[in-house]
Amino acid sequence: MSAQTPFLVFSGTKSRYLAEKICKSLGCPLGQMNIQPFADGEFSVSYEESIRGRDVFLVQSTFPSSDNLMELLLMIDAAKRASANSIIAVIPYFGWARQDRKDQPRVSIGAKLIADMLSAAGINRLITMDLHADQIQGFFNVPVDHLYASSVFLEYIQNELPLNNLCIATPDVGGTKRASSYSKYLGLPMVICYKSRLRANEVASMRVIGDVEGLDVLLIDDIVDTAGTITKAANLMMEKGAKLVRAIASHAVMSDPATQNVEESALVEMIFTDSIPYCRNSSKIRILSIADMFAEAIRRVCNGESISSLYVI
């Protein structure tokens, strides 16, 4: 590969499963890299092949722990020092994205800090998917290709769900724009769950705005962390007369006890992408791959082609 193509794809430790699928779609091998851990928890990064003059794509989601982010920063730094032509960070899940504004006194804006760290390390471009807030793209002074999982989810919805009795729903007001896009594209009705919180990851109250009586409900979200909000919304939909409730979400953060919450909820199915590895067992959870979408984005970036056609909604 190194003698034939101007680009190379490498992966951090925890995103290798996805990078391998991306490389399979691209028809190229995954680049050779060594990440050496030390007894005190530090690690070093080295490339095991020449990257001089190449466009280097580094695949790594920055989900917890922060080691994933640190790995990526060291990968970027090593690529810069090895004279790569350009360094493109491929971050399917951009961690810290929920800290996108100063919404109370004396708090950090974590998403901006991470953007600054990636830029200082030396990236020339970012490819990511379903940022928690679109304005995070403005935190970068390099080009950002913001992909959407909707192209993957819409194929699933149109091919596998009965649309004649389907209703689109959002588990909170913040996701109204996202759910509205699906609703308009598919020509389906939409309802909204309005929630209030006492503190992070704890919903105080919730109510439904709209009618779900006798309908199949599809809840749409971007991130599921403890699954408290989305399972509470599903249970509430059933109480309001819904026939059944499914949910789709881009990123399976799924912190404990999320899997248990999903299993014990009214949800019949919970669909995620593989932007984050989901390693637990659940009869209700299904994973759809985004590898082909990212491979196509990489291919178009290398060829200087537009990627706008990848944006279904």
Side-chain angles (χ1 to χ4, degrees), residues 8-295:
L8 293 164
V9 179
F10 295 90
S11 172
T13 305
K14 295 295 179 66
S15 292
R16 187 179 179 91
Y17 72 98
L18 180 57
E20 288 175 345
K21 289 189 281 188
I22 290 172
C23 285
K24 182 178 179 181
S25 183
L26 285 168
C28 67
L30 184 62
Q32 298 300 306
M33 167 173 283
N34 182 35
I35 300 176
Q36 179 67 45
F38 297 108
D40 64 352
E42 289 187 14
F43 42 85
S44 66
V45 169
S46 63
Y47 293 91
E48 300 299 296
E49 55 187 296
S50 175
I51 60 174
R52 182 178 294 273
R54 303 297 181 84
D55 296 326
V56 176
F57 292 84
L58 307 178
V59 181
Q60 180 80 315
S61 285
T62 54
F63 56 95
S65 72
S66 56
D67 282 358
N68 293 314
L69 172 62
M70 194 63 198
E71 264 190 18
L72 177 58
L73 292 171
L74 291 175
M75 289 161 64
I76 295 165
D77 184 68
K80 180 174 65 176
R81 297 177 189 280
S83 302
N85 178 58
S86 65
I87 303 166
I88 300 93
V90 180
I91 308 178
Y93 171 70
F94 187 89
W96 284 271
R98 286 174 283 182
Q99 301 178 45
D100 62 310
R101 63 196 182 281
K102 191 175 179 185
D103 55 356
Q104 55 184 306
R106 298 176 297 280
V107 297
S108 65
I109 304 178
K112 171 59 175 169
L113 175 61
I114 302 306
D116 288 344
M117 292 168 68
L118 291 168
S119 298
I123 66 168
N124 301 106
R125 178 182 290 269
L126 169 69
I127 303 176
T128 188
M129 184 187 79
D130 281 355
L131 290 168
H132 187 63
D134 288 345
Q135 65 265 23
I136 292 173
Q137 297 173 73
F139 294 171
F140 289 87
N141 292 319
V142 299
V144 177
D145 294 315
H146 186 202
L147 308 180
Y148 296 93
S150 55
S151 60
V152 175
F153 287 140
L154 283 170
E155 183 179 354
Y156 161 81
I157 293 169
Q158 292 173 314
N159 292 339
E160 300 195 29
L161 299 185
L163 299 181
N164 60 332
N165 195 49
L166 193 63
C167 173
I168 302 297
T170 175
D172 56 41
V173 174
T176 301
K177 181 181 177 182
R178 183 183 310 108
S180 178
S181 297
Y182 281 82
S183 173
K184 290 177 181 177
Y185 183 86
L186 295 168
L188 298 173
M190 186 184 85
V191 300
I192 299 170
C193 281
Y194 176 80
K195 70 179 180 183
S196 60
R197 290 186 184 274
L198 290 173
R199 58 187 66 88
N201 295 130
E202 185 176 331
V203 179
S205 64
M206 181 179 285
R207 65 177 184 268
V208 177
I209 303 173
D211 184 18
V212 295
E213 182 75 33
L215 298 176
D216 298 336
V217 176
L218 181 64
L219 286 160
I220 296 177
D221 210 347
D222 62 334
I223 298 171
V224 173
D225 190 350
T226 61
T229 297
I230 206 157
T231 55
K232 190 176 181 69
N235 294 341
L236 185 57
M237 295 290 180
M238 293 301 290
E239 291 174 12
K240 297 297 182 180
K243 186 178 178 182
L244 58 83
V245 185
R246 288 184 176 87
I248 61 174
S250 305
H251 307 296
V253 176
M254 295 297 281
S255 308
D256 286 334
T259 298
Q260 180 181 348
N261 287 342
V262 170
E263 285 291 319
E264 294 175 354
S265 73
L267 287 168
V268 297
E269 191 175 36
M270 177 84 234
I271 302 99
F272 294 110
T273 74
D274 54 356
S275 64
I276 299 175
Y278 179 75
C279 304
R280 293 179 172 85
N281 292 320
S282 172
S283 60
K284 292 186 176 183
I285 292 176
R286 176 176 179 180
I287 306 296
L288 304 179
S289 184
I290 52 173
D292 289 344
M293 180 177 68
F294 272 88

Side-chain angles (χ1 to χ4, degrees), residues 300 306-312:
R300 294 188 186 194
S306 171
I307 66 168
S308 61
S309 63
L310 296 178
Y311 305 150
V312 180

